[in-house]
Amino acid sequence: MTADHMTVPPDAGGEEAARQERRLHRELGFRALTAIGFSNIVGSGWLFAAMYGARTAGPASLLTWVGAGLLCALVALVMIELGASRPEGGGTVRWPLYASGRLVGTLVGWSVLLSVGGTAAEISAIMQYADHYLPDLYHGHVLTPTGLGVAVGLSVLLTALNWFAVRTFARLNNLVTVFKIAVPVVTVIALFASGWHSGRLTDHGGFAPYGYAACLSALAGGGIVYSVNGFQAPLDFSGETRNPRRTIPASVLTGIGLALLMYLALQLAFLFTVPESLLGHGWKGVDFESPFGQLALILNLHWLSSLLYADAVVSPGGSAYVGVALNARHTYALAKNRTLPRTFMQVDRRTGIPHRALALNLAVIVVFLLPFGGWQRIVSIMGDMYLLIYAASAVAVAVFRADPGTRTADWVPGLRWIAPVSFVVSSEFVYWSGWHDLRLALPVVLAGLVLFLGMRRSGHDRPLAVELRDGAWLLCYLSVLTLLSWLGTFKGSGRLPAPYDSLTVAVVTLGIFHWAVRSGIRHRATAPQGGHG
């Protein structure tokens, strides 16, 4: 690891940041990282997404899963290069700061802080399924006061479990991951063994009864992007990994591959085993509150239903468990960036865990549970936050490779075209999520400007005009996506018809990508110590 890779933004706390970074324990290997990535991917999504995908796109939802897996792998290649060449705790927060300056670093960091709500979504899913046994937890798609109290208690428990050493975290996560693999596999086998209906890929309106454009809507509306998301988790533990350049690429891609195979099997099982009597109004007429659990009951698989309702606690609980640990690394990195006060950067000397970051994230999780409560309401916003982080990472890797003073790992060939394609793909995913979600998500991200201005320190930061110049591309990017979403056909006004809306997004965001890379190169050429902030 070169000095360039570990240099922090030049400020009075730089030595302290480096000292805290050295306290992170490098104890994670391939199996532990793969389990972390897989467990973070497989949460509440597998319990819901097969039904919502079928309702949105019919049997063509199979194509949506394949597309989501391939596109996420493309984004992962960008993040693998960053993680392998610049291993650091909370790297997804640090890289945009290094590449594009403090304004971009703050807005992306703000998005990361908001994405803690993803853990709140997993906890909300646990409450929804636990309502099968405790009916007073969930009502009308929101948590009851009793349910909110139980959810907060579960959040405290998950935080407490992460309070101890990284090795303890990895061992507990490995045990949860075994269960999370076994139950979906048993579900697929049991559903097919109970009998299946031939012709399901062509009956009831054909393979794509609602058109192939519905596959794009299913990416977001069907919860498929949310379900596949989470593959980046091993990258945020790169500062705690043995031999990260070898371990990280293999663990990230293995986690994506295993999760995609599992999701495809579950989608096929759902498509082929839903009773014919429920398809009188086509796939849109299939509606379960707990899809696989209720389907098992209808098929007289009571033992499977009991197992599924139990796993409905374990799977989201495992993802929430990983999410709490992952978010603590993000908050730790935000404090290193000075997006948050430096007090949240403190790492416990004995355990190697950023305890104050864990405590802050617990507070954020509770805040998200209070107004939203429902799984779908939280998930609809969180997906956009994740995708914005991926877009910023694509810019970062292109900036680093174009900077002659930066050494990269060169793990991924073809990054010259992979980076811009990844940026455009992430932008399309954001756009396809629809106007109803973006009109809330993107303005909230822009609210991070207040945090940027509030954390500025006279005499230490670069002039405001310079920071605005270097980060103007991101402000334009967020504003343009919001405008195009309102004009477009994905729950927008329809003034910009399909497919010209998606084509316009691709052309415009490709132009913004090249603008962003040029701005990043200029930033690194003029900023102190090689452009690190």
Side-chain angles (χ1 to χ4, degrees), residues 86-110:
R86 307 176 71 88
E88 186 173 357
T92 52
V93 174
R94 298 288 280 169
W95 302 322
L97 172 75
Y98 290 151
S100 300
R102 192 160 299 284
L103 175 57
V104 172
T106 299
L107 289 180
V108 173
W110 174 244

Side-chain angles (χ1 to χ4, degrees), residues 57-74:
S61 56
L62 293 167
L63 297 180
T64 307
W65 283 111
V66 174
L70 291 175
L71 296 178
C72 285
L74 185 70

Side-chain angles (χ1 to χ4, degrees), residues 67-218:
L70 291 175
L71 296 178
C72 285
L74 185 70
V75 175
L77 291 174
V78 167
M79 303 190 81
I80 284 170
E81 178 70 19
L82 289 167
S85 59
R86 307 176 71 88
E88 186 173 357
T92 52
V93 174
R94 298 288 280 169
W95 302 322
L97 172 75
Y98 290 151
S100 300
R102 192 160 299 284
L103 175 57
V104 172
T106 299
L107 289 180
V108 173
W110 174 244
S111 299
V112 169
L113 190 61
L114 293 175
S115 71
V116 173
T119 301
E122 299 300 308
I123 294 172
S124 178
I126 295 172
M127 295 299 100
Q128 183 171 342
Y129 273 82
D131 186 68
H132 178 75
Y133 298 105
L134 302 171
D136 194 36
L137 296 180
Y138 205 85
H139 180 71
H141 301 291
V142 295
L143 291 171
T144 64
T146 301
L148 180 61
V150 176
V152 171
L154 181 57
S155 303
V156 172
L157 175 62
L158 292 170
T159 301
L161 289 173
N162 273 286
W163 199 266
F164 305 104
V166 172
R167 183 176 296 171
T168 303
F169 161 78
R171 287 173 177 170
L172 286 173
N173 183 66
N174 287 343
L175 293 175
V176 172
T177 300
V178 170
F179 192 76
K180 292 173 70 172
I181 294 173
V183 173
V185 170
V186 169
T187 299
V188 171
I189 294 173
L191 288 177
F192 275 118
S194 69
W196 54 286
H197 305 274
S198 61
R200 280 297 174 81
L201 298 183
T202 55
D203 296 343
H204 305 287
F207 183 70
Y210 312 116
Y212 285 95
C215 294
L216 302 179
S217 298

Side-chain angles (χ1 to χ4, degrees), residues 182-253:
V183 173
V185 170
V186 169
T187 299
V188 171
I189 294 173
L191 288 177
F192 275 118
S194 69
W196 54 286
H197 305 274
S198 61
R200 280 297 174 81
L201 298 183
T202 55
D203 296 343
H204 305 287
F207 183 70
Y210 312 116
Y212 285 95
C215 294
L216 302 179
S217 298
L219 285 166
I224 290 177
V225 168
Y226 178 82
S227 299
V228 179
N229 180 68
F231 59 83
Q232 78 283 5
L235 295 163
D236 287 289
F237 289 87
S238 58
E240 296 153 270
T241 301
R242 299 188 302 268
N243 194 3
R245 296 191 179 193
R246 176 176 301 175
T247 306
I248 289 173
S251 62
V252 171
L253 293 178

Side-chain angles (χ1 to χ4, degrees), residues 315-334:
S315 284
S319 285
Y321 178 52
V322 173
V324 168
L326 182 64
N327 292 329
R329 273 69 182 176
H330 284 156
T331 303
Y332 159 85
L334 288 173

